[in-house]
């Protein structure tokens, strides 16, 4: 293996969490072995050192990676307090990387990163799941679509961004012409966005090299956080656009955003907490990868998402108010029926069994009609909304739907009026004197003869049904 250049890849995974820093116990990764977390820190900070948790994954990753001509020297995971996990690879190549031009070097780095991402995905998922189960990572707030997928998906691969570092003495590559002219820190040369050359002995201890690359890795960690925010915002808007707000947990999304912005600004304090030399590299990397522009786009998108969620919440609140109003109307009808029954019992202490049955049936019919009138229009409207959401309309069905609801309401109102008339007729029948056999017009327009009080009841029912009377003919004569 060539020792002229050491190839480092630092991949940043956003994972909003709270990690204890008092006691770190070893935990077992099923099928891969045991890991022993070690406390570390971001050593490029000049003020207020930030604690990290270091995990050596070399023994798990090296047997699984098969890259011809490439040796995995080390693989470390650095759990930052600011909700990000940095996975760092140290690689050596058989070929002399100094002989490659910049575009060839970039293509080689991209191919290796693609293979590593596919190879280590199940291992990293198992490690993170075991870390969450053991309590090393606590209060994890996942991106909404990952939260829907369940706890088996704690790793956010889509939001991950990575840096490529080539460490060698007097690196031969020059920055690409598209890279803006920036003043980077000592020993740092920005070749392309996310690609850096460092003028340093490649045999330097890995811990010192990681401290050297920390400024640019902090910038890419912030970029991965914003990438996760953009993906989450698009996912929420898609659900709202397809009328599936139930899939969007508003409180879970709020927790995700709170953790995201807290972690982002925690990392952003690097610009004032770091030493002068590392701060220059951080600011140069930040400008080169367009971090400020990404932050502006994320602010706009998440602001729009917040407005849409507020509108959806208002719509759900309005629908809930409508349902509560219908429930209140139904309870009013039931209370009125109960009050009417109490009055009937008080006014009619001694009546025949059939009269009591007529009164009770009339009141129950009135209550049932009122309940149906209060609930049926809303049920029909929700049915039409569900049908319109699942089927493409063949024509202008809006007026027809409205007319059906109106017709249903009118029919229910008529039924309620008829039931009320039955009850009123039953009450009147008790107080009216006995009558001779009378002729009444029934609900279908037929003429029948009834005896006594029953004629008054049938006549009232005929009037309520809306059947026209013959000239000179009344309901009870």
């Amino acid at each position: 293996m060539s020792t002229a250049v050491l190839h480092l890849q630092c991949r940043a995974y956003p994972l909003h969490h709270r990690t204890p820093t008092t006691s770190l116990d070893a935990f077992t990764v099923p099928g891969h072995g045991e890991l022993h977390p070690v406390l570390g820190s971001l050593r490029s900070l000049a003020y207020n050192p930030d604690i990290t948790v270091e995990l050596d994954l070399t023994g798990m990753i090296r047997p699984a990676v098969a890259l011809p001509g490439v040796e995995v020297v080390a693989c470390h995971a650095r759990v930052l307090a600011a909700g990000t996990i940095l996975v760092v690879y140290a690689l050596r190549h058989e070929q002399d990387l100094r002989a490659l031009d910049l575009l060839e070097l970039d293509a080689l780095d991209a191919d290796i990163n693609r293979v590593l991402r596919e190879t280590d995905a199940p291992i990293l998922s198992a490690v993170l799941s075991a870390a969450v189960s053991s309590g090393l990572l606590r209060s994890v707030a996942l991106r909404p679509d990952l939260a829907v997928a369940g706890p088996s998906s704690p790793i956010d691969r889509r939001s991950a961004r990575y840096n490529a570092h080539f460490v060698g003495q007097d690196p031969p590559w020059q920055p690409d012409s598209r890279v803006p002219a920036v003043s980077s820190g000592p020993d740092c040369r920005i070749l392309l966005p996310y690609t850096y050359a460092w003028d340093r002995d490649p045999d330097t201890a890995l811990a010192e090299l990681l401290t050297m690359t920390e400024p640019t890795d902090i910038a890419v960690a912030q970029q991965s956080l914003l990438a996760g925010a953009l993906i989450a915002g698009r996912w929420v808007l898609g659900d709202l656009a397809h009328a599936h707000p139930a899939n969007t947990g508003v409180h879970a999304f709020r927790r995700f955003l709170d953790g995201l912005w807290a972690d982002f600004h925690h990392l952003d304090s690097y610009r004032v907490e770091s030493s002068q030399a590392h701060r220059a590299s951080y600011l140069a990397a930040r400008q080169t990868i367009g971090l400020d522009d990404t932050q502006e786009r994320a602010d706009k998108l998440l602001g729009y998402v917040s407005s849409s969620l507020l509108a959806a919440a208002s719509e759900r609140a309005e629908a809930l108010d409508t349902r509560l109003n219908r429930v209140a109307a139904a309870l009013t009808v039931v209370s009125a029926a109960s009050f009417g029954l109490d009055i009937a019992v008080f006014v009619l202490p001694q009546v025949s069994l059939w009269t009591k049955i007529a009164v009770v049936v009339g009141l129950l019919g009135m209550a049932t009609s009122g309940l149906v009138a209060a609930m049926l229009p809303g049920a029909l409207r929700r049915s039409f909304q569900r049908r319109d959401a699942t089927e493409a309309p063949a024509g202008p069905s809006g007026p027809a739907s409205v007319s059906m609801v109106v017709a249903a309401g009118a029919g229910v109102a008529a039924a309620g009026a008829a039931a009320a008339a039955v009850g009123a007729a039953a009450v009147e029948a008790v107080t009216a004197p006995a009558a001779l056999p009378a002729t009444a017009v029934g609900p279908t327009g037929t003429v029948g003869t009834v005896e006594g009080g029953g004629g008054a009841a049938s006549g009232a029912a005929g009037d309520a049904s809306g059947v026209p009377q013959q000239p000179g003919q009344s309901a009870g004569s």
Side-chain angles (χ1 to χ4, degrees), residues 74-100:
C75 179
H76 286 191
R78 310 186 72 191
V79 182
L80 305 186
T84 308
I85 297 179
L86 302 179
V87 178
V88 184
Y89 280 91
L91 309 170
R92 291 195 184 276
H93 298 259
E94 285 185 354
Q95 61 177 325
D96 186 6
L97 298 185
R98 302 172 67 93
L100 302 178

Side-chain angles (χ1 to χ4, degrees), residues 409-430:
V412 170
V422 170
V427 175
E428 182 182 357
V430 179

Side-chain angles (χ1 to χ4, degrees), residues 344-359:
V345 171
F346 178 76
V347 175
L348 311 172
Q350 295 179 351
V351 293
S352 64
L353 176 62
W354 291 106
T355 304
K356 292 180 179 180
I357 293 176
V359 171

Side-chain angles (χ1 to χ4, degrees), residues 236-237 240 253 257 261 299-313:
V236 172
L237 286 181
L240 294 177
F253 186 64
L257 289 185
W261 289 121
D299 281 334
K300 290 182 179 179
L301 177 63
L302 295 179
Y304 187 81
V305 170
S306 299
S307 300
S308 297
L309 286 175
L310 182 61

Side-chain angles (χ1 to χ4, degrees), residues 329-397:
L331 292 176
T332 302
V333 171
V334 173
S335 300
S338 177
F339 183 66
L341 185 60
D342 292 339
I343 292 177
V345 171
F346 178 76
V347 175
L348 311 172
Q350 295 179 351
V351 293
S352 64
L353 176 62
W354 291 106
T355 304
K356 292 180 179 180
I357 293 176
V359 171
V360 172
V361 169
L363 290 174
L364 290 178
M366 181 183 69
T368 303
S369 302
L371 290 174
V372 173
M375 300 176 65
L376 182 60
L380 289 176
R381 181 170 59 254
R382 290 193 298 273
S383 176
F384 288 130
Q385 288 176 349
R386 286 194 296 267
R387 186 188 67 180
D388 293 340
T390 56
E391 298 179 3
S397 60

